[in-house]
Amino acid sequence: MLIPSNQVLFKRKPVQYLPRPVIEDESSEVWVISETNEVFTSYEPYLHRMDFYKQRRFICEITGHSGLNFFEALRSETEESREVNNSFPDALREPILRRIQFSTVSRVDNLVDEIYEEFKQDFYPGEPVLILLEDSTRLHGTIRDKANFAEQLYADGTIKTPAYARYLVKILDRPNEEALLDQEHITRDRKSFTKLMLRGFIKNNVTRESWTGAPWLVKPSVAEEYKISTEVPKHLQYGAKVAEKKAMKKADQDGFFGFFASQQLPELKPAVKGQKAKMSVQDMAKSREAQYQEYQRSLNGNPSFLLASNPLRPSKPPQVGDKKMPFAPDAVIKDESRPSSPPPIKYPIEDLDLVPIREKKQRPTLKFLMVDESDDDGTEDLLPDDLEPESVGLLLETWDTLNVYCEVFQLDSFTFDDFLQAMRFSSEEIDCELFVEAHCAILKKLVNSEDEGGAVQISLPDFPVDESDESEEEEDEEEEREEEEEDAESRPERMTTRGSLAKQEADTLKAQVDDDSIEVKIHRAAEMFGKYGWIDRLRRRDFRNGGWELVMIGLLHQLSVRPRAEKICNDILKHLAPLDAEPTQETAREQYRTLDINLRAKGLQMICMLSLETKAIRNYMEECSNQMTEFRKEKIEHQKARKAALVELRQLHQERKAVQPEPEKSPSPVPELEEGLEDSKMTGIEGDSEMPVDSDEEDDRRPRALRGGVDRALERKRKQEEERERKEQLAKQPKGSKQYQRVLKKIDDQKAKIEKLKEQIETVENDLREADCPRTRCLGLDRFCNRYWWFERNAMPYEGMPNSSTAEAHYANGRLWVQGPDDMERAGFIEVTDEQRKQYQRHFQTTPAERKKHEEGPTHVSSAREWGYYDDPDAVEQLIDWLDSRGNREFKLLKELHLQQDLISKYMNNRHAYLTERAERAESEDIVPAKRVTTRKRTYVDMNEHRLRCLRWKNTTALSEIGHLHVDPDRPAKRTKRAADDTRETKATRGKPLTRQGSRKG
């Protein structure tokens, strides 16, 4: 049976082909898979095998491409194998394969590096080479013969002459001439032998089994061609490796040298699935201490630590007349080497296993959410500042949701400071447009309008049964009870027993409990709705004059049926529909005006979470996901174009050197070329043998837009100045030939093209960041499991929407938030058991709780419901200095903070500048009273002249897209257009030529 020589991988293992069955009847019908030459005598197994081959779970071994079916992977492997075999030098194939055979280097990358360094300056007969002459000219030649000379040593073992080789080279540029050269005057063409080609050649011709320590084996067909032995040595076979491991394990347990192995080894526990078993720092310290004590006992002459001549077998006791081996235990101990030091700790490790720093190095002081002086300026339009710690997380969650999905809600973006001020705003004369529009926009997504069918978009619990129905049921039960009593009177009396008395007493107690369990009326929310329910009001968009407040009451009343939401809903409804007020629409409006900020935050957060269930949000997330796929493809195309442009730029510089009129004495390096070469190293341009090859995945993990910051900008400015000086020097020199001038013009055009592609890549990366809306990612955790959040990191523009009414603020949140650990993390790391606390105290002279209190300083957050923040760039710098990169969690956190630090600092400064400017403007306008216009119903105030920032926010998005605010009812003129374009609201701006940052670049 002919089996394909190429090995397609399935789950990273070669596909095993089925053996050919025994066919007794030659005339019987069989089914054959031509690609694998597998034969089947029945149709069902053939179908099952074809289904297996058609799964997109196979991998091409040479290219590493995954997600292919078997036939695509086999085709890819065959084509790549043919290409690799045609391009790889013939003279190097046999020596490299012989060198790799039975090698035990574990990773293919390390094997490629090792082979490449070994053969980089080694040449073989028949190989084309370049001859380097003293005048720097190069000639083409072919190796005819090679002589190796071994190294020579002095008597003391030092090297006298290193090993070298001499090559007899036929010079092709000079017929009938040969030269005897060493390896210093011979080199290869760069493109003939590279790490990328070597990697493909190894994957194509060499294989390796999956067990640890398995040797590399040349494929049998290739080994037979080059007469390479395929018999694996016994010490490299699987059985020998297993036996060796068992022997080493037993020797470690028994101890090779009595006093080097501890008799008190740490207790080994089975590792959790998916994790590696690793000794903790405490166990390693115990082991080292026990080793040292045993070593000290051995030095004191303890006979139980005497060494045998062979550690693996006991030696015979020394005889009296034995002259070869006299009994001298002191000499044995003296000649024995000192115990090896424990292996160095490989960082990063668990953060709390690091030794605490005894210096007074504390985390910078946290700030907590309080009303700024600019907010609390004595105005009567703000509610009292009694914000609970639990409400901070609700406010942040709501603000983030409204800004991420502002295009769905048709809201202008707004800053967190304005949002917090709007949540506290309360006035009898005017409404805060930000506060009202946020509620109305969310409510409109929960239920469609009448023109759209009026369907409810969320799941609601069954509404409680009306009291009238309950009274009717009670009347029916009373009638049945009276009939039963009449029947009982007509029947003869039964004898009273102990059992009947007990049963009667139980029934009496049950009736009393039922009477006591009658629900006490705590609010009048149910009385606020008659035939015109809250859903009908929401369908008609009847929000004015307390309409949306009434919808909120009805929604919360229905949600209170759920056990989890019952307490929160009832607390809000007690204030909105009190027992001592009439259940009217005006009552709802007045009570919502005086509602506590904590209850406001809970109510708004509840409807925000309900909106995430709607079809509009789901369609928006799906649209963003599809758009991200397109952005990734676009980014890959730009990266490929940029790589090609960099290669062309390098060729143009080579051409420039060739046609340059006269060599420059001290030519300054070309900045753009250096940058291009540096980028090409990261993106893997072929052509330089010493250039490491990398994949585009690293570019995805480390966006260029966040990589350099201020340092990179200064470096680029310095390079531009050097380039300008170089051009001035060139301008003073003779112009040279026209060809030279044409090359210079091409180089400038190519640099402009590369810079344009770089800007396009940065633009696409920013679009990817803004489209990543399914979840908000934290920057990381510190040693005490506090989470660090920068909410502008994903799914929103850094400065808010560019067409927002408050876009001049130039920031969105402007704070680095710190959230405390959750209950599980606190129980696992901080509030440990008594035994773990004593053990930690013994090793570090402190407990985790004491360490947290000492290292975090006077301010800390103790649970996930508590939040603090930093709003000063200097505090962020101090935080980075406080973190320790040797810990697992803080290593990742530091990496993210370094990437985002410049942006965080920029928008913190923007926030300070905006708030300071607003405060100064409010002070200057304090003398002039705001203009007021009084009508019959209410007083209107000019919002643009009001001192509160939240009143200057306008929902321009709703005005431009639907022609009116959300609080106003739909206009008839707009209904036809909206019905025809029902999918508009679910599509993001990202799917259009314009992005959330404005127009796309280039």
Side-chain angles (χ1 to χ4, degrees):
M1 175 179 177
L2 182 62
I3 297 178
S5 59
N6 298 309
Q7 291 189 345
V8 177
L9 302 181
F10 180 76
K11 294 184 178 180
R12 301 189 179 277
K13 295 182 180 180
V15 176
Q16 300 297 326
Y17 301 107
L18 299 178
R20 176 170 293 185
V22 178
I23 303 175
E24 298 178 356
D25 187 3
E26 295 293 337
S27 62
S28 61
E29 187 178 13
V30 296
W31 290 264
V32 181
I33 300 177
S34 58
E35 288 81 0
T36 61
N37 290 325
E38 293 175 308
V39 180
F40 302 88
T41 56
S42 58
Y43 191 57
E44 287 296 329
Y46 170 78
L47 285 181
H48 289 314
R49 193 65 173 174
M50 287 298 293
D51 290 340
F52 169 70
Y53 284 149
K54 289 181 180 179
Q55 299 180 57
R56 291 196 168 273
R57 301 173 62 187
F58 294 89
I59 304 173
C60 174
E61 185 182 17
I62 297 179
T63 62
H65 294 167
S66 59
L68 309 174
N69 62 37
F70 174 81
F71 306 107
E72 293 173 346
L74 183 62
R75 194 180 310 115
S76 171
E77 191 130 354
T78 304
E79 294 174 357
E80 292 294 330
S81 174
R82 188 184 303 112
E83 183 178 349
V84 168
N85 287 334
N86 292 337
S87 60
F88 200 78
D90 294 333
L92 291 176
R93 295 186 182 186
E94 182 178 353
I96 287 180
L97 290 175
R98 290 188 180 277
R99 169 64 180 79
I100 295 176
Q101 183 74 320
F102 307 139
S103 174
T104 56
V105 178
S106 59
R107 294 178 56 85
V108 66
D109 296 333
N110 298 339
L111 182 65
V112 169
D113 294 340
E114 184 177 322
I115 298 298
Y116 180 80
E117 292 298 328
E118 186 174 335
F119 284 84
K120 183 170 62 175
Q121 293 295 332
D122 199 6
F123 309 93
Y124 292 87
E127 185 177 1
V129 294
L130 295 176
I131 303 172
L132 305 177
L133 301 182
E134 297 295 338
D135 57 354
S136 300
T137 59
R138 298 190 177 192
L139 300 176
H140 293 83
T142 305
I143 303 292
R144 288 195 57 193
D145 201 359
K146 172 184 179 181
N148 289 321
F149 298 91
E151 65 178 6
Q152 299 179 4
L153 305 177
Y154 288 105
D156 58 356
T158 57
I159 298 177
K160 179 180 180 182
T161 305
Y164 63 98
R166 289 285 186 268
Y167 301 93
L168 181 61
V169 184
K170 181 180 179 181
I171 304 176
L172 301 180
D173 297 333
R174 299 176 183 177
N176 302 325
E177 284 193 23
E178 295 180 344
L180 187 64
L181 303 171
D182 59 4
Q183 56 202 19
E184 300 297 331
H185 294 82
I186 303 175
T187 184
R188 291 189 183 92
D189 186 4
R190 285 183 174 181
K191 297 182 180 179
S192 64
F193 182 62
T194 64
K195 289 185 178 181
L196 188 62
M197 296 174 59
L198 179 59
R199 183 188 182 93
F201 177 75
I202 291 175
K203 285 193 170 185
N204 188 33
N205 296 279
V206 185
T207 184
R208 180 176 177 269
E209 296 181 4
S210 58
W211 50 275
T212 305
W216 292 92
L217 301 176
V218 180
K219 294 181 179 180
S221 59
V222 181
E224 183 179 359
E225 179 182 354
Y226 293 105
K227 303 295 186 295
I228 300 176
S229 174
T230 57
E231 184 178 355
V232 183
K234 291 185 178 181
H235 70 281
L236 295 179
Q237 295 178 3
Y238 180 73
K241 288 286 185 181
V242 172
E244 181 181 355
K245 286 183 179 179
K246 289 182 178 179
M248 291 179 62
K249 185 176 181 180
K250 186 176 185 306
D252 288 340
Q253 293 174 354
D254 297 341
F256 282 157
F257 305 100
F259 55 86
F260 283 170
S262 172
Q263 297 176 357
Q264 298 176 352
L265 293 177
E267 180 183 359
L268 297 179
K269 299 180 180 179
V272 180
K273 186 175 182 181
Q275 298 180 355
K276 296 182 179 180
K278 186 187 295 184
M279 290 179 62
S280 65
V281 177
Q282 296 85 349
D283 294 338
M284 293 176 64
K286 281 185 179 180
S287 177
R288 291 196 298 268
E289 184 179 356
Q291 289 179 8
Y292 181 75
Q293 291 177 357
E294 293 176 2
Y295 174 67
Q296 291 294 331
R297 290 199 300 269
S298 68
L299 294 180
N300 293 333
N302 191 335
S304 63
F305 294 98
L306 294 180
L307 297 180
S309 58
N310 188 347
L312 297 179
R313 69 178 64 173
S315 60
K316 297 180 181 180
Q319 303 296 329
V320 177
D322 194 353
K323 299 181 180 179
K324 297 181 180 179
M325 186 70 179
F327 181 71
D330 294 337
V332 173
I333 295 175
K334 183 177 180 180
D335 293 340
E336 188 59 42
S337 60
R338 297 181 60 185
S340 59
S341 59
I345 300 175
K346 186 177 181 180
Y347 297 107
I349 61 173
E350 165 57 38
D351 299 74
L352 291 178
D353 285 344
L354 294 170
V355 179
I357 301 176
R358 298 304 175 186
E359 303 173 0
K360 290 186 178 180
K361 185 179 180 182
Q362 296 180 340
R363 187 181 64 183
T365 305
L366 281 173
K367 295 183 179 180
F368 297 97
L369 194 59
M370 298 174 61
V371 178
D372 297 331
E373 294 180 359
S374 58
D375 290 346
D376 196 7
D377 54 0
T379 178
E380 298 177 355
D381 294 337
L382 294 178
L383 294 173
D385 174 30
D386 51 356
L387 191 64
E388 298 174 356
E390 294 81 2
S391 300
V392 178
L394 302 179
L395 291 171
L396 287 170
E397 185 178 15
T398 305
W399 173 86
D400 185 66
T401 304
L402 292 175
N403 277 269
V404 168
Y405 301 106
C406 62
E407 293 167 322
V408 183
F409 294 122
Q410 295 173 321
L411 288 171
D412 275 24
S413 62
F414 45 88
T415 66
F416 182 74
D417 295 291
D418 290 351
F419 175 66
L420 181 61
Q421 196 177 72
M423 292 296 289
R424 295 184 60 217
F425 183 82
S426 175
S427 174
E428 297 179 358
E429 299 178 349
I430 54 177
D431 290 333
C432 178
E433 186 172 320
L434 174 56
F435 183 73
V436 174
E437 286 293 289
H439 284 81
C440 295
I442 298 172
L443 292 173
K444 289 172 68 173
K445 296 303 172 187
L446 305 184
V447 178
N448 292 342
S449 65
E450 289 181 339
D451 297 336
E452 297 172 345
V456 179
Q457 298 293 316
I458 58 175
S459 60
L460 292 171
D462 294 334
F463 205 75
V465 182
D466 293 339
E467 295 180 359
S468 60
D469 297 338
E470 293 180 355
S471 61
E472 292 177 0
E473 293 178 0
E474 291 177 358
E475 291 176 359
D476 295 338
E477 292 177 359
E478 289 179 0
E479 292 178 359
E480 293 177 0
R481 195 179 303 114
E482 291 176 358
E483 292 176 358
E484 290 177 359
E485 290 177 357
E486 292 176 358
D487 294 341
E489 292 176 357
S490 62
R491 289 195 299 267
E493 295 183 359
R494 298 177 58 185
M495 185 180 296
T496 303
T497 62
R498 292 182 178 179
S500 62
L501 290 174
K503 185 177 180 181
Q504 184 178 357
E505 185 178 355
D507 294 339
T508 305
L509 291 175
K510 184 178 180 182
Q512 293 177 356
V513 171
D514 292 340
D515 293 338
D516 295 338
S517 62
I518 296 175
E519 185 178 358
V520 179
K521 190 175 182 180
I522 58 177
H523 55 74
R524 305 183 68 177
E527 302 176 27
M528 286 192 171
F529 305 95
K531 295 181 180 180
Y532 190 29
W534 69 271
I535 295 180
D536 294 332
R537 182 183 293 272
L538 185 52
R539 287 194 182 108
R540 297 179 184 178
R541 307 305 193 227
D542 186 5
F543 294 147
R544 280 292 183 184
N545 301 320
W548 69 266
E549 291 95 335
L550 209 58
V551 172
M552 284 290 297
I553 293 175
L555 177 58
L556 294 173
H557 184 214
Q558 192 156 351
L559 291 176
S560 64
V561 179
R562 294 176 178 172
R564 290 187 176 181
E566 180 180 3
K567 184 179 184 304
I568 298 176
C569 293
N570 287 335
D571 290 341
I572 301 175
L573 293 174
K574 286 178 185 178
H575 184 90
L576 297 180
L579 297 175
D580 56 352
E582 291 296 325
T584 61
Q585 185 171 337
E586 184 63 25
T587 300
R589 182 175 178 274
E590 290 299 323
Q591 292 300 115
Y592 220 104
R593 184 180 60 82
T594 58
L595 185 64
D596 179 64
I597 183 176
N598 300 292
L599 297 180
R600 285 185 174 188
K602 292 176 182 177
L604 186 56
Q605 188 266 348
M606 287 184 70
I607 63 173
C608 250
M609 294 303 102
L610 285 176
S611 67
L612 299 182
E613 303 176 11
T614 61
K615 187 177 180 180
I617 297 293
R618 292 199 301 268
N619 290 345
Y620 181 83
M621 288 193 290
E622 184 178 355
E623 181 73 19
C624 288
S625 178
N626 296 335
Q627 199 67 38
M628 288 179 70
T629 303
E630 296 299 323
F631 285 149
R632 291 190 183 100
K633 293 179 182 178
E634 186 179 350
K635 178 183 175 183
I636 291 173
E637 293 300 323
H638 290 327
Q639 287 175 335
K640 288 180 179 179
R642 186 167 180 268
K643 290 178 184 178
L646 287 170
V647 172
E648 188 175 349
L649 178 63
R650 180 182 299 166
Q651 294 173 354
L652 288 173
H653 276 287
Q654 294 294 335
E655 185 178 351
R656 176 185 63 83
K657 292 179 181 179
V659 299
Q660 192 171 359
E662 58 182 10
E664 300 178 17
K665 296 181 180 179
S666 59
S668 59
V670 184
E672 199 63 43
L673 178 60
E674 288 186 354
E675 185 179 352
L677 294 179
E678 180 182 353
D679 294 335
S680 66
K681 289 182 181 180
M682 291 185 290
T683 51
I685 293 180
E686 186 54 52
D688 192 351
S689 60
E690 298 180 359
M691 193 177 297
V693 181
D694 204 345
S695 63
D696 293 335
E697 297 177 358
E698 184 174 349
D699 257 345
D700 293 339
R701 292 192 301 266
R702 299 171 55 191
R704 287 186 57 85
L706 305 179
R707 211 183 286 167
V710 179
D711 295 337
R712 186 171 180 82
L714 294 175
E715 181 69 16
R716 188 178 300 172
K717 184 178 180 181
R718 183 185 63 80
K719 290 180 179 180
Q720 289 175 353
E721 292 177 356
E722 291 180 356
E723 174 70 7
R724 187 168 57 254
E725 293 176 359
R726 186 186 68 83
K727 288 183 178 180
E728 292 175 357
Q729 293 177 1
L730 289 176
K732 296 177 182 178
Q733 295 180 358
K735 296 296 181 181
S737 63
K738 293 183 178 180
Q739 183 181 3
Y740 181 67
Q741 296 299 322
R742 284 197 298 269
V743 172
L744 290 180
K745 187 176 184 304
K746 288 182 180 179
I747 290 176
D748 293 336
D749 295 341
Q750 197 69 12
K751 291 177 183 177
K753 181 181 178 181
I754 292 172
E755 190 64 27
K756 183 177 180 181
L757 289 170
K758 180 180 177 182
E759 293 177 358
Q760 290 176 345
I761 292 173
E762 292 176 352
T763 302
V764 174
E765 285 175 344
N766 189 62
D767 294 340
L768 271 171
R769 180 190 64 80
E770 292 181 2
D772 186 14
C773 65
R775 62 183 181 277
T776 303
R777 298 179 178 87
C778 70
L779 295 175
L781 291 77
D782 64 12
R783 67 196 70 165
F784 303 114
C785 297
N786 299 311
R787 283 176 169 79
Y788 291 77
W789 301 84
W790 186 47
F791 289 99
E792 296 96 318
R793 182 190 182 194
N794 63 309
M796 69 175 71
Y798 294 121
E799 300 181 359
M801 297 295 286
N803 56 353
S804 173
S805 59
T806 55
E808 71 275 5
H810 297 299
Y811 81 98
N813 194 304
R815 294 178 174 98
L816 177 64
W817 291 91
V818 184
Q819 183 187 17
D822 59 30
D823 296 337
M824 293 183 62
E825 292 167 340
R826 193 171 63 252
F829 292 96
I830 309 301
E831 299 173 359
V832 295
T833 62
D834 293 339
E835 182 181 354
Q836 293 173 333
R837 184 168 57 253
K838 291 178 182 178
Q839 186 178 6
Y840 198 90
Q841 176 81 34
R842 185 165 57 252
H843 284 88
F844 299 114
Q845 289 76 48
T846 186
T847 63
E850 293 174 353
R851 180 174 180 178
K852 174 180 172 68
K853 183 178 179 180
H854 171 73
E855 296 184 4
E856 285 189 344
T859 56
H860 63 276
V861 281
S862 57
S863 68
R865 292 178 294 275
E866 297 182 6
W867 293 75
Y869 67 88
Y870 297 109
D871 61 351
D872 184 15
D874 294 337
V876 177
E877 186 68 34
Q878 295 172 14
L879 174 65
I880 292 176
D881 184 57
W882 177 75
L883 297 173
D884 194 338
S885 61
R886 297 177 299 167
N888 287 319
R889 294 186 291 276
E890 295 190 358
F891 173 79
K892 299 175 183 177
L893 176 59
L894 270 172
K895 180 180 178 182
E896 290 296 331
L897 282 175
H898 281 303
L899 289 176
Q900 311 285 353
Q901 183 181 5
D902 296 324
L903 289 169
I904 294 174
S905 301
K906 174 184 176 181
Y907 294 107
M908 284 181 175
N909 292 329
N910 287 358
R911 174 177 176 268
H912 284 299
Y914 175 72
L915 295 180
T916 304
E917 179 186 359
R918 283 294 183 181
E920 293 175 354
R921 185 183 303 177
E923 291 178 1
S924 62
E925 296 174 353
D926 194 17
I927 305 174
V928 181
K931 295 181 181 179
R932 297 173 180 262
V933 179
T934 305
T935 63
R936 292 183 179 180
K937 294 185 178 181
R938 61 189 308 174
T939 302
Y940 293 92
V941 181
D942 188 358
M943 302 298 185
N944 294 326
E945 297 187 6
H946 203 282
R947 62 190 309 169
L948 292 180
R949 295 186 313 273
C950 64
L951 296 181
R952 305 189 184 190
W953 181 90
K954 302 292 182 182
N955 194 6
T956 59
T957 302
L959 292 174
S960 61
E961 294 187 6
I962 61 178
H964 58 86
L965 298 176
H966 291 297
V967 72
D968 296 324
D970 294 338
R971 298 178 182 177
K974 301 290 182 179
R975 290 180 181 176
T976 305
K977 181 179 178 181
R978 292 183 64 192
D981 192 15
D982 57 348
T983 59
R984 175 185 53 78
E985 65 183 5
T986 62
K987 290 188 177 180
T989 314
R990 305 182 186 94
K992 303 175 184 179
L994 294 180
T995 65
R996 302 182 80 174
Q997 290 286 8
S999 60
R1000 293 284 296 273
K1001 294 182 181 179

